[in-house]
Amino acid sequence: MIVMKFGGSSVADADRMREAAALVKAALPRSPLVVLSATARTTDQLFEAAGRAEAGNLPGALALHGELMARHGALARDLMPGGTPPELAEALAILGGELDLLLRGVALLKELSPRSMDAIASIGERLSTRILAAFLGAAWVDARDVMRTDGTFGCARPLTAEVEALAVSHLAPRLRPGSTVVTQGYIGATAQGLTTTLGRGGSDFSAALFGAALGAEDIQIWTDVEGVLTSDPRVVPGAQPITELGFAEAAELAAFGAKVLHADALAPVSRAGFRLVVANTHRPQGGRTEIRSEVPPRRPGEITSVAYKEGVSCLRVPPAQDADLLFQASTRLLEAGASLYGLLATPDGGLLVARGETADSEKVLRDLGASGLSVQRGWAAVALVGEGLREAPGRALSLLDALADEPIAAILAGDTGVSLVFLVPDNRLSHLIPKLHEHCIEKPLRGDA
Ligand code: ADP
Ligand code: ASP
Ligand code: MG
């Protein structure tokens, strides 16, 4: 079997959904499991509606609810002009009612816990999958019956052994050549049945976990770009598709902000040794990236891609203070779901580099700042990634010549050997990323470096 994951932009409107459905139909002999995101903008809108409700603006929240439900109703009608099947109409109405109740509850209490937010966010994937399953005439499975997670709402951790067992009992029997099953990415549930989410962009992670659990031949990530590119195309318009990537390169890229893959999606796939393919729903015959366990051939020192992650904070502890403070801060941040990029204890004091990924960890950062620890915001982590660095790590340092005049805060040694990571101010990114791309990727390709 294979897993086909479609991101939000791949199911943004009826035309896109028809393209996605055509790809699924063509793959029916391979018993595809379809893992779907919410339609484009929907998750953002659900967060916005929840925020309005929390602020006590119930009319504003309900206006978004109305817009969102109308958009999904129109999508269903456009796809099925003969009439929305009654079971689909009923499923959509039930989801609309659930969202309405949740928003009213939040507005009444003026309180939005991560647990309530997850319940609200889950509506997006539940809507999109109902529509695609009806359009395809496919079985629909509630991912909350399979994706068992812990109770870290907002960035829940899957309980891998249980997910495997549930995938085998709930999904495998329904997967056979000629038919397909549609389920949701991003959402899961605790053993008590409370709805959770895996964090923004988490559908890739769901696809990887389901694929690993079911022994998929291929995990296909269908998105709006032709595979993984040499950099973020929004910042480097000339970024080029990378045909082959090793797992370590892909994992490093994802960890350092290449939004095309969720940071956690590589681990399950690399454990199981499967192939992961990233391709463009809109141009299925165009470029694509194959990510495999075999390391592709690279020139010594070759950089494959340049990634970055904004919103990084530097926590500094003066030398006179207890280094323990730094370790306590890092523990609290990790528990609250932050990403930590480095922890340095030196005779000059300590430096902790963190990115608050969740509302909880943002709160920890604020609390630490208020308690007297120096918390400097506004940094970004930039990563030069490439298997070629294993052979010639020193070469990457010479590439940093391009940055001689830049205020680099710290160089973080990666232990994977396939990246060089350093910190720069957020506001230098739009200038620096194209410059690094030119210097580290385009020039060597042209042969003038
Ligand atoms: P989906 O909704 O399909 O999950 P995402 O928006 O999450 O899609 O990810 C695709 C986007 O990731 C692209 O449109 C692109 O803007 C961004 N991106 C950032 N870095 C890269 C990269 N190195 N290669 C490809 N896309 C990237
Ligand atoms: N719909 C979710 C999000 O927008 C998950 C995903 O798209 O992967 O973050
Ligand atoms: Mg995504």
Side-chain angles (χ1 to χ4, degrees):
M1 57 82 59
I2 59 170
V3 174
M4 303 179 83
K5 178 260 169 178
F6 294 92
S9 54
S10 302
V11 288
D13 55 33
D15 284 341
R16 291 284 100 80
M17 220 183 239
R18 273 189 277 266
E19 285 171 357
L23 288 166
V24 174
K25 284 187 183 145
L28 283 182
R30 301 182 74 193
S31 318
L33 169 68
V34 176
V35 177
L36 207 61
S37 293
T39 61
R41 300 198 321 281
T42 298
T43 310
D44 287 343
Q45 250 177 12
L46 289 165
F47 272 80
E48 171 69 24
R52 287 185 189 181
E54 183 187 22
N57 176 8
L58 183 61
L62 292 181
L64 276 179
H65 170 285
E67 206 254 282
L68 202 140
M69 293 309 300
R71 189 155 53 76
H72 284 85
L75 177 59
R77 282 193 299 280
D78 195 338
L79 287 169
M80 290 159 270
T84 306
E87 318 81 73
L88 174 61
E90 191 190 342
L92 297 183
I94 290 174
L95 287 167
E98 188 176 327
L99 179 59
D100 179 88
L101 270 179
L102 285 163
L103 292 172
R104 285 178 196 276
V106 169
L108 206 59
L109 295 168
K110 292 203 177 68
E111 183 194 54
L112 178 63
S113 64
R115 173 166 157 177
S116 309
M117 189 58 244
D118 276 357
I120 292 172
S122 77
I123 302 283
E125 269 70 9
R126 291 159 66 202
L127 284 168
S128 65
T129 48
R130 284 288 186 188
I131 295 172
L132 183 70
F135 181 51
L136 280 170
W140 179 90
V141 167
D142 193 326
R144 294 171 301 174
D145 293 334
V146 186
M147 183 59 72
R148 181 71 67 248
T149 71
D150 69 6
T152 320
F153 298 98
C155 63
R157 295 299 86 194
L159 308 175
T160 318
E162 294 180 38
V163 174
E164 261 174 41
L166 290 166
V168 168
S169 61
H170 278 64
L171 293 172
R174 294 180 163 96
L175 290 164
R176 61 184 74 89
S179 65
T180 179
V181 172
V182 176
T183 194
Q184 307 83 47
Y186 179 55
I187 72 171
T190 64
Q192 295 74 37
L194 299 171
T195 300
T196 55
T197 68
L198 307 181
R200 296 303 306 269
S203 294
D204 304 328
F205 190 19
S206 306
L209 284 162
F210 290 147
L214 294 167
E217 280 171 42
D218 259 2
I219 297 173
Q220 306 177 349
I221 306 285
W222 291 93
T223 182
D224 62 351
V225 279
E226 305 203 344
V228 181
L229 308 179
T230 49
S231 195
D232 181 348
R234 287 163 304 179
V235 182
V236 183
Q240 294 297 313
I242 307 170
T243 324
E244 280 180 295
L245 271 176
F247 279 132
E249 286 176 322
E252 206 73 0
L253 259 181
F256 285 101
K259 193 184 163 226
V260 62
L261 281 176
H262 187 268
D264 296 322
L266 272 306
V269 193
S270 68
R271 262 199 310 276
F274 300 125
R275 189 172 72 143
L276 198 123
V277 179
V278 183
N280 189 338
T281 317
H282 194 39
R283 284 175 34 89
Q285 304 309 334
R288 57 175 56 196
T289 301
E290 290 198 0
I291 303 171
R292 315 165 164 275
S293 48
E294 304 92 70
V295 175
R298 302 277 186 234
R299 297 186 308 277
E302 180 179 352
I303 305 287
T304 334
S305 51
V306 181
Y308 64 90
K309 204 141 195 181
E310 295 164 275
V312 171
S313 296
C314 288
L315 286 68
R316 291 175 193 277
V317 176
Q321 287 192 22
D322 195 351
D324 222 30
L325 208 67
L326 213 55
F327 291 106
Q328 281 166 22
S330 78
T331 311
R332 282 184 62 194
L333 280 164
L334 269 183
E335 281 169 0
S339 292
L340 297 191
Y341 293 139
L343 173 60
L344 308 173
T346 73
D348 292 336
L351 175 70
L352 175 63
V353 184
R355 185 170 189 269
E357 309 280 347
T358 61
D360 276 3
S361 54
E362 277 299 318
K363 185 175 176 306
V364 174
L365 277 174
R366 278 197 302 278
D367 291 351
L368 288 168
S371 71
L373 196 76
S374 148
V375 180
Q376 295 175 355
R377 294 189 180 249
W379 292 91
V382 174
L384 305 179
V385 180
E387 277 289 347
L389 288 177
R390 278 195 214 274
E391 277 181 60
R395 165 103 180 92
L397 288 174
S398 72
L399 290 170
L400 290 183
D401 282 354
L403 303 178
D405 301 327
E406 297 295 334
I408 295 181
I411 296 184
L412 309 173
D415 65 349
T416 58
V418 299
S419 69
L420 180 76
V421 183
F422 47 91
L423 295 183
V424 300
D426 262 349
N427 60 14
R428 298 292 297 153
L429 280 176
S430 58
H431 165 75
L432 270 181
I433 299 298
K435 186 168 159 182
L436 279 167
H437 188 265
E438 157 71 20
H439 194 74
C440 303
I441 294 180
E442 294 169 51
K443 255 190 180 174
L445 271 182
R446 289 197 301 265
D448 46 331

